[in-house]
């Protein structure tokens, strides 16, 4: 195995940074202007984290491609970090949204589309009842509230290095085995130790220890971790974890926001998970804001018994625009025409092609890295064997190397997901798009290894 020469990496990074600036004069000018009105020069603070001196400003996007304001074209393997896993602006969704927009966007009243969506979700995930929010964050927050309310327990349990959106309770980490605010946590309302238990993924003993105290309302979990690289569950892990949750009276909430990449019914359907609740956002409306959470018959009965008509608008579960006509129209068109079994078949094969291409180059250049795949999502991590938990995966992170590979790809027309090395396939992605990444990845490997 080779080791990366840091001096060489620094030199290559400098060269790529210069190339990026030279290639994007219009984005540079817009970024400069944005300093005067946008905090940090970006519409959202994490947009500063893109590789390169400034973010690329987008002119237009369709399917698996976008064009920036400098007229450069890109293969988009980031796809809005799953928000556009459907491909950008799929025709069926554009038409449905345009029609709905001309006929009323938000009314605080239901439209028939909501029924189609509820019925479709019921078939996909096997849970009978659904509610809608604007973000996956809210879907998770409201699921947690329901779990707390019906169990009358204060704590939630998450996995170390999880990400479930900007849910306060989940910004917790383990520091020498002790729960505390996760690094970078801005203004935590309380020390998350008060609200949260954190255990490592794939550790059943730790899970049982944490549940044993009978104060955990719910386990909020991605069936496979996706936000610290892809971490797959050990064989039998979920069957045992599901059993432990039942034994100790904690609800299991599956956050399928990213793991929907596994198939039309996410990991819940693929692996027969039987969660008590499930949250799913981002791609559900092809990027039109919308998300959902669903629950079992038992959860539905328990929460219905505790909610009273007079207070149902002030219980901390809501949002004026939640369940609006526009987002339901987008969800209906997405579920009916885009996130179909047929499209998933194509997307899964492409992710496998990505995996084989990148793995082949890793082997050829004796790089101590590996590639994991979950459905139509593939990701490389900088360690030889796939990590089994958040700690192992975080230990393998290499910020400098990651930035270099992202910038190298961007300069050659391929966008990877920022913050980790993830590539996502949409129905419009082609084998040629995947091979373009493999070629670039191979060129980068040669430069790093020589
Ligand atoms: C697993 C998971 N759940 C929930 C969310 C939150 O989604 P949103 O930011 O759209 O609320 C994210 C965001 O990345 C996520 O990765």
């Amino acid at each position: 195995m080779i080791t990366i020469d840091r001096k060489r990496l620094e030199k290559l990074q400098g060269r790529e940074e210069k190339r990026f600036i030279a290639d994007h004069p219009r984005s540079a000018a817009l970024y400069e202007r944005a300093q005067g009105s946008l905090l940090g020069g970006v519409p959202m603070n994490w947009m500063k984290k893109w590789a390169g001196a400034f973010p690329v400003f987008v002119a237009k996007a369709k399917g698996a491609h976008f064009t920036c304001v400098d007229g450069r074209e890109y293969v988009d393997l980031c796809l809005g970090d799953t928000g556009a896993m459907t491909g950008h602006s799929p025709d069926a969704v554009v038409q449905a949204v345009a029609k709905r927009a001309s006929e009323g966007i938000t009314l605080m009243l239901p439209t028939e589309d909501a029924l189609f969506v509820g019925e479709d979700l019921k078939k996909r995930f096997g849970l009978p009842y659904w509610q809608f929010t604007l973000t996956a964050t809210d879907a998770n927050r409201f699921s947690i509230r329901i779990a707390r309310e019906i169990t009358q327990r204060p704590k939630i349990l998450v996995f170390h290095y999880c990400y479930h959106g900007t849910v306060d309770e989940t910004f917790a980490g383990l520091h020498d085995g002790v729960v505390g605010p996760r690094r970078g946590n801005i203004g935590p309302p309380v020390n998350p130790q008060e609200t949260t238990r954190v255990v490592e993924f794939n550790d059943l003993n730790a899970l049982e220890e944490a549940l044993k105290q009978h104060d955990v309302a719910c386990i909020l979990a991605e069936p496979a971790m996706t936000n610290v690289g892809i971490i797959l569950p050990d064989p039998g892990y979920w069957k045992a974890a599901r059993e432990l949750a039942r034994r100790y009276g904690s609800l299991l909430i599956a956050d399928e926001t990213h793991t929907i990449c596994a198939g039309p019914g996410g990991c819940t359907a693929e692996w027969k998970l039987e969660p008590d609740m499930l949250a799913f956002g981002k791609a559900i409306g092809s990027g039109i804001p919308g998300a959902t959470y669903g629950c079992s018959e038992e959860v539905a009965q328990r929460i219905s018994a505790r909610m009273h008509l007079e207070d149902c608008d002030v219980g901390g579960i809501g949002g004026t625009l939640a369940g609006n006509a526009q987002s339901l129209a987008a969800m209906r068109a997405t579920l009916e025409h885009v996130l179909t079994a047929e499209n998933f078949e194509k997307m899964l094969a492409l992710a496998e092609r990505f995996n084989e291409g990148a793995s082949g180059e890793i082997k050829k250049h004796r790089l101590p890295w590996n590639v994991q795949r979950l459905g139509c999502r593939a990701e490389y991590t900088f360690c030889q064997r796939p990590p089994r938990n958040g700690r192992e995966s975080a230990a393998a992170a290499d910020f400098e190397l990651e930035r270099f590979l992202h910038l190298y790809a961007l300069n050659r027309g391929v966008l990877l997901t920022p913050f980790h090395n993830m590539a996502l396939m949409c129905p419009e992605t082609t084998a040629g798009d995947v091979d373009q990444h493999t070629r670039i990845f191979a060129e980068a490997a040669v430069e790093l290894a020589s």
Side-chain angles (χ1 to χ4, degrees):
M1 290 294 150
I2 65 151
T3 13
I4 305 295
D5 176 344
R6 293 289 147 173
K7 283 248 153 59
R8 177 160 188 76
L9 177 61
E10 200 184 324
K11 212 166 131 207
L12 289 170
Q13 176 72 16
R15 184 192 74 192
E16 293 299 318
E17 280 171 8
K18 281 196 194 116
R19 175 172 169 170
F20 177 83
I21 291 169
D23 283 350
H24 299 93
R26 280 172 182 247
S27 278
L30 289 176
Y31 185 61
E32 183 61 34
R33 190 177 128 205
Q35 303 304 317
S37 63
L38 305 179
L39 184 62
V42 284
M44 179 35 70
N45 53 37
W46 46 254
M47 289 190 196
K48 286 183 87 74
K49 212 177 166 184
W50 284 101
F54 44 81
V56 163
F57 280 69
V58 174
K60 59 183 179 184
K62 183 75 182 164
H65 298 93
F66 75 94
T67 309
C68 74
V69 292
D70 286 288
R72 306 183 80 84
E73 294 196 4
Y74 298 85
V75 173
D76 190 355
L77 295 177
C78 165
L79 294 170
D81 194 15
T82 311
M85 194 183 90
T86 50
H88 295 290
S89 303
D91 290 342
V93 179
V94 171
Q95 281 159 21
V97 164
K99 183 167 183 302
R100 188 68 254 177
S102 68
E103 293 174 347
I105 294 167
T106 191
L107 299 102
M108 291 185 103
L109 287 168
T111 52
E112 201 174 329
D113 287 336
L115 279 71
F116 178 98
V117 175
E119 286 156 8
D120 181 285
L121 294 169
K122 185 173 175 175
K123 277 188 237 144
R124 277 173 198 256
F125 298 110
L127 290 168
Y129 301 114
W130 297 87
Q131 291 276 277
F132 301 99
T133 63
L134 289 185
T135 64
T137 298
D138 271 355
N140 283 329
R141 289 201 307 115
F142 301 161
S143 301
I144 290 171
R145 273 189 177 267
I146 290 174
R148 280 210 178 103
E149 179 65 25
I150 65 180
T151 59
Q152 291 290 294
R153 292 177 174 188
K155 300 248 193 223
I156 74 152
L157 183 144
V158 295
F159 295 115
H160 197 197
Y161 285 102
C162 69
Y163 186 78
H164 295 285
T166 53
V167 179
D168 284 321
E169 291 94 329
T170 64
F171 280 98
L174 286 173
H175 311 279
D176 297 325
V178 177
V179 177
R182 193 179 168 158
R183 199 176 93 195
N185 188 337
I186 299 168
V190 293
N191 185 333
Q193 204 175 63
E194 289 182 33
T195 57
T196 310
R197 294 246 157 76
V198 183
V199 299
E200 290 288 2
F201 193 53
N202 277 325
D203 184 343
L204 286 167
N205 289 336
L207 181 64
E208 181 157 18
E209 276 307 307
L211 296 179
K212 247 183 190 168
Q213 302 174 47
H214 292 275
D215 58 358
V216 173
C218 61
I219 302 168
L220 174 61
E222 286 193 281
M225 296 187 78
T226 66
N227 282 301
V228 58
I230 294 173
I231 306 177
L232 299 176
D234 290 345
Y237 176 77
W238 275 119
K239 192 165 186 296
R242 169 68 279 192
E243 175 46 35
L244 286 174
R246 281 205 183 100
R247 188 183 311 158
Y248 294 107
S250 305
L251 300 185
L252 177 61
I253 306 173
D255 181 351
E256 292 270 19
T257 301
H258 279 180
T259 49
I260 188 66
C261 63
C267 294
T268 290
E270 291 295 314
W271 301 341
K272 302 188 176 37
L273 293 182
E274 296 179 24
D276 301 292
M277 300 189 78
L278 184 148
F280 167 31
K282 296 199 186 188
I284 192 173
S286 300
I288 294 287
T292 188
Y293 59 99
C295 67
S296 67
E297 182 68 48
E298 188 194 329
V299 170
Q301 282 184 19
R302 288 171 72 187
I303 192 62
S304 299
R306 298 183 70 88
M307 291 206 312
H308 305 292
L309 188 60
E310 196 177 345
D311 302 323
C312 72
D313 55 336
V314 290
I317 290 180
T320 312
L321 298 182
N324 73 73
Q326 180 79 304
S327 81
L328 264 306
M331 287 186 209
R332 176 181 182 158
T334 302
L335 295 172
E336 194 172 0
H337 302 292
V338 190
L339 294 180
T340 59
E342 203 185 5
N343 275 340
F344 267 102
E345 216 171 289
K346 283 193 283 182
M347 289 145 72
L348 263 57
L350 287 167
E352 186 53 29
R353 188 183 183 97
F354 180 98
N355 193 324
E356 281 167 12
S359 301
E361 296 304 324
I362 285 171
K363 211 164 156 194
K364 188 159 135 200
H365 298 285
R366 296 190 303 117
L367 291 160
W369 308 344
N370 79 88
V371 194
Q372 272 290 41
R373 178 172 79 83
L374 177 73
C376 64
R377 159 188 303 257
E379 170 140 14
Y380 40 90
T381 30
F382 304 123
C383 53
Q384 248 173 297
R385 260 184 283 141
R388 280 189 62 241
N389 59 38
R391 179 177 43 79
E392 283 180 21
S393 196
D398 187 328
F399 191 58
E400 285 171 7
L401 191 53
E402 183 178 297
R403 282 186 89 72
F404 168 70
L405 288 169
H406 282 232
L407 191 57
Y408 196 94
L410 191 62
N411 281 342
R412 289 155 186 80
V414 173
L415 186 80
L416 287 161
T417 304
F419 328 143
H420 44 122
N421 305 305
M422 191 273 281
L424 194 62
M425 310 298 143
C426 74
E428 309 293 319
T429 310
T430 64
D433 294 335
V434 172
D435 295 347
Q436 185 176 335
H437 170 270
T438 306
R439 267 195 312 277
I440 293 166
F441 186 72
E443 282 167 34
V446 169
E447 294 219 51
L448 283 169
S450 58

